[in-house]
């Protein structure tokens, strides 16, 4: 009869119990067994136990202490009262209540069997009753619980004092395969990470949850909370996984371990990666890296030109592994360098197969710089291709080689025609000659000499590929950033194109809410004006100023033909709020304020007024000085527009 059947039988049996006198045979068998257990006499307990119970709960050959494990179960002591006896073939099921006098009694159910060798009756198993939350009783086998607790003791002993074969022998085949691939230093790293360096307390007080073929045991040791997952293989509990949580002063440089399977897989992959990298084995690298990282950083790289720090000579105190939700960071430190290998868990691994990780990035801290392999091998090449595409106004290539932020703010808003309007005079149309490279981890800055001008290409490493995030160049009276300059100028060019093409929708989408409310929302078409903005807005960029981060003033052209444009930032994009169109030096006669001009034109049914008075829009200071001074040397106050990652939640 299996355990479940026995449990059902016992529940039915207990429902019909009646008080009666204890049978002498059963009382003697149970009393002698309980007496030897209380005296902790292992040989005599085995004499009073069946072979099955002796091997499962009181083994002689294991490095375990069965009586320490038995104390965890807290079997009752005291007077024994036999409540019922039921024959089951040649065996007997005995229900007993045990406890001290005048104290609540606890119920145990014994199965006793005749011993063929001695002719005596012996205990074959003991079942403890537990009341579940539903109020129903559940019976647990002491033999099975002891078997698990002894496995926990074996885990504590072997993983602290055992040799390699003993450790592997205590694991399920899945975990053993992962651990077997590790060299001795890495296996030692795992064992030390689990149990710590000290011997720890001998106190044994685990808490277990059992199912038929699996169990989870939690315990504390050396400032660690250790959770061990077990699988039952042919009656033996084997370690399938371990998680460790470090707390308090014990933490230091030690990391939590969410999964020993993951840690072993990470260490195995880093070893394979290093061996393939040192051996210039591209096929081996492809097997242990993500496709993006291999194609973007390693496939065409000269690996010998950039050796990475050795890992085998670094002691355990100078290495660490952080694993969080399928992402791992493996870090080693020596006197001069730091190596960080970032790995991602392979999501396509079958459930019952060993975990597998792939290298997704590699960073070396060297010479006070944070060097990513993608940047070391591909930054200059990507920069040269981008520079050539910019000279050719190749919008498709520029879009592909740019970060998401650069694309969203600039290239996606341009067409093959409007890209020629960009103010690129500060970036000469010549091949850049690199002069200095600064590695800043995800960002790499390449300063080049391009037409006798120092220009800096800001590159960003994304999934093993190098993308251009901005181009910086020295300028006076305007942003040093191509990204920010283009972001400001594109709505101006689109606004001008809307007037040129008589496209009211294009004009409106590049106008502020206020300008739309006062002007374009009242029109079905662009009104006829005596002065059109298109020719003024096509003039060269002269200066950019800002009074606060969301208000920008742009000066185009000169005093004979030009414009002063005010833009506001709405919904993360610049939009035109007003402009002053200039076609001569006389401020009253030769300058027209667009917002006021449109409003008056609409009010008079598009009748053209003879004179226009300059109206300064609300929210801006009155400009009395010449918008075109002979010298402009002041700072613009606009910060460099380089974001922190590819998704940029905020724009400068």
């Amino acid at each position: 009869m299996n355990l479940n059947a026995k449990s059902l039988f016992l529940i039915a049996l207990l429902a019909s119990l009646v008080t009666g006198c204890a049978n002498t045979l059963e009382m003697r068998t149970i009393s002698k067994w309980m007496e030897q257990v209380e005296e902790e006499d292992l040989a005599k307990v085995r004499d009073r136990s069946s072979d099955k119970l002796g091997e499962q709960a009181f083994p002689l050959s294991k490095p375990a202490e069965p009586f320490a494990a038995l104390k965890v179960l807290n079997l009752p002591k005291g007077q024994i009262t036999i409540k019922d006896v039921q024959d089951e073939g040649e065996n007997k099921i005995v229900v007993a209540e045990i406890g001290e006098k005048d104290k609540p009694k606890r119920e145990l159910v014994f199965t006793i069997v005749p011993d063929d060798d001695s002719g005596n009756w012996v205990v074959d198993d003991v079942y403890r009753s537990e009341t579940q939350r539903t109020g129903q009783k559940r019976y647990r086998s002491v033999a099975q619980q002891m078997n698990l607790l002894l496995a926990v003791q074996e885990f504590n002993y072997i993983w602290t004092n055992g040799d390699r074969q003993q450790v592997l022998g205590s694991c399920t085949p899945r975990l053993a395969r992962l651990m077997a691939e590790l060299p001795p230093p890495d296996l030692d790293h795992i064992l030390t990470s689990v149990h710590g360096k000290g011997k720890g307390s001998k106190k044994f007080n685990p808490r277990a949850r059992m199912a038929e073929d699996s169990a989870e045991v939690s315990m504390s040791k050396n400032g660690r909370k250790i959770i061990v997952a077990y699988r039952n293989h042919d009656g033996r509990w084997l370690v399938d996984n371990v998680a460790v949580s470090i707390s308090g002063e014990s933490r230091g440089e030690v990391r939590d371990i969410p999964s020993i399977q993951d840690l072993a897989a990470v260490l195995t992959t880093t070893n394979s990666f290093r061996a393939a990298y040192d051996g210039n084995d591209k096929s081996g690298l492809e097997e242990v890296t993500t496709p993006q990282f291999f194609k973007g950083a390693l496939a065409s790289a000269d690996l010998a030109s950039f050796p990475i720090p050795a890992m085998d000579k670094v002691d355990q105190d100078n290495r660490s592994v952080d694993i969080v939700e399928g992402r791992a960071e493996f870090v080693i430190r020596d006197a001069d360098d730091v190596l960080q290998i970032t790995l991602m868990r392979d999501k396509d691994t079958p459930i019952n197969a060993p975990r597998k990780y792939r290298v997704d990035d590699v960073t070396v801290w060297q010479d006070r710089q944070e060097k990513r392999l993608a940047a070391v091998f591909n930054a200059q090449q990507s920069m040269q291709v981008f520079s050539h595409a910019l000279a050719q106004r190749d919008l498709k290539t520029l879009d592909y080689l740019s970060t998401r932020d650069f694309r969203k703010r600039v290239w996606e808003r341009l067409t093959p025609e409007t890209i020629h309007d960009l103010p690129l005079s500060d970036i000469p149309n010549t091949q850049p000659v690199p002069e200095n490279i600064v590695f800043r981890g995800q960002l790499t800055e390449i300063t080049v000499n391009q037409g006798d001008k120092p220009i800096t290409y800001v590159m960003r490493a994304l999934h093993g590929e190098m993308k251009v995030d901005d181009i910086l160049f020295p300028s006076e009276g305007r942003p040093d950033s191509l990204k920010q300059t283009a972001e400001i100028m594109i709505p101006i060019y689109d606004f001008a194109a809307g007037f040129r093409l008589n496209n009211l929708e294009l004009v409106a989408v590049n106008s502020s809410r206020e300008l739309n409310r006062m002007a374009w929302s009242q029109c079905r078409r662009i009104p006829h004006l005596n002065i059109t903005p298109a020719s003024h807005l096509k003039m060269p960029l002269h200066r950019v100023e800002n009074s606060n981060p969301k208000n920008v003033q742009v000066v185009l052209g000169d005093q004979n033909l030009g414009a002063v444009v005010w833009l506001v930032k709405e919904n993360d994009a610049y939009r035109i709020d007003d402009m002053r169109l200039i076609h001569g030096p006389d401020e009253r006669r030769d300058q027209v304020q667009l917002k006021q001009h449109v409003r008056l034109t609409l009010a008079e049914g598009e009748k053209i007024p003879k004179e226009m008075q300059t109206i300064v829009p609300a929210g801006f200071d009155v400009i009395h000085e010449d918008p075109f001074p002979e010298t402009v040397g002041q700072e613009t106050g606009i910060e460099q527009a380089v974001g922190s990652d590819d998704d940029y939640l905020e724009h400068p």
Side-chain angles (χ1 to χ4, degrees), residues 172-210:
T172 61
R174 174 170 58 180
L175 181 58
R177 284 197 299 271
L178 282 170
M179 304 270 273
E181 296 181 23
L182 298 174
D186 286 341
L187 184 58
D188 291 342
H189 173 75
I190 285 183
L191 301 180
T192 302
S193 299
V194 172
H195 288 289
K197 293 183 178 181
K199 293 183 179 180
S201 172
K202 292 184 178 180
K203 184 179 179 180
F204 184 67
N205 190 27
R207 302 182 64 180
R209 293 189 302 175
M210 292 182 63

Side-chain angles (χ1 to χ4, degrees), residues 80-286:
I80 302 173
T81 302
I82 303 298
K83 303 296 293 184
D84 193 61
V85 177
Q86 188 77 23
D87 291 329
E88 186 182 302
E90 296 183 354
N91 305 333
K92 294 178 181 293
I93 297 176
V94 182
V95 180
E97 286 186 348
I98 304 175
E100 302 291 344
K101 186 178 181 181
D102 299 328
K103 290 185 179 180
K105 303 295 191 294
R106 291 173 57 191
E107 183 181 84
L108 292 180
V109 178
F110 293 81
T111 57
I112 61 176
V113 298
D115 181 54
D116 294 336
D117 295 331
S118 65
N120 296 324
W121 284 80
V122 295
V123 175
D124 187 56
D125 205 346
V126 184
Y127 295 88
R128 299 190 307 152
S129 63
E130 297 177 353
T131 302
Q132 298 178 296
R133 293 180 180 178
T134 59
Q136 293 181 334
K137 284 188 176 181
R138 182 178 182 180
Y139 293 85
R140 290 188 176 275
S141 163
V142 168
Q144 288 191 2
Q145 290 177 297
M146 283 289 291
N147 192 21
L148 175 61
L149 291 173
L150 293 175
V152 176
Q153 286 188 337
E154 184 180 82
F155 164 78
N156 282 330
Y157 178 84
I158 290 177
W159 283 49
T160 304
N161 306 297
D163 59 28
R164 183 184 183 89
Q165 292 306 315
Q166 287 177 313
V167 171
L168 297 179
S170 69
C171 301
T172 61
R174 174 170 58 180
L175 181 58
R177 284 197 299 271
L178 282 170
M179 304 270 273
E181 296 181 23
L182 298 174
D186 286 341
L187 184 58
D188 291 342
H189 173 75
I190 285 183
L191 301 180
T192 302
S193 299
V194 172
H195 288 289
K197 293 183 178 181
K199 293 183 179 180
S201 172
K202 292 184 178 180
K203 184 179 179 180
F204 184 67
N205 190 27
R207 302 182 64 180
R209 293 189 302 175
M210 292 182 63
E212 187 170 347
D213 294 321
S214 62
E216 183 179 284
V217 179
S218 62
M219 66 192 98
S220 297
K221 183 178 181 182
N222 288 336
R224 293 158 161 76
K225 180 180 180 181
I226 304 171
I227 300 176
V228 187
Y230 284 91
R231 292 284 180 183
N232 195 322
H233 281 254
D234 298 326
R236 184 186 176 198
W237 291 100
L238 299 176
V239 178
D240 189 54
N241 208 351
V242 182
V244 181
S245 176
I246 315 296
S247 61
E249 297 179 356
S250 303
R251 177 174 292 277
E253 293 297 322
V254 181
R255 303 304 200 269
D256 290 347
I257 305 173
S259 164
I260 285 294
Q261 287 192 22
D262 286 88
L263 179 56
V266 166
L267 294 174
T268 298
T269 300
T270 54
N271 289 330
S272 299
F273 172 83
R274 182 56 197 263
Y277 189 96
D278 290 346
N280 198 26
D281 179 5
K282 295 292 180 69
S283 61
L285 286 173
E286 189 173 12

Side-chain angles (χ1 to χ4, degrees), residues 26-37 80:
E26 289 78 19
M27 175 64 78
R28 184 173 62 248
T29 303
I30 294 172
S31 298
K32 285 292 185 181
W33 188 85
M34 293 290 291
E35 178 182 339
Q36 304 306 332
V37 166
I80 302 173

Side-chain angles (χ1 to χ4, degrees), residues 491 495 499 503-527 566 568 570-571 573-579 594-596 598-599 602:
F495 188 93
F499 265 87
N503 186 334
L504 180 61
E505 182 180 357
L506 185 57
V507 170
V509 78
N510 287 282
S511 298
S512 68
R513 285 188 289 267
E514 177 66 13
L515 182 55
N516 272 302
R517 183 186 66 81
M518 293 182 60
W520 317 129
S521 64
Q522 304 178 43
C523 304
R524 293 185 178 179
R525 59 181 178 83
I526 295 178
W566 291 275
V568 295
E570 296 176 349
N571 299 327
Y574 285 105
R575 305 182 192 280
I576 294 171
D577 191 65
D578 202 358
M579 64 181 65
L594 179 67
K595 187 184 293 184
Q596 178 71 359
V598 173
R599 185 170 60 182
L602 293 175

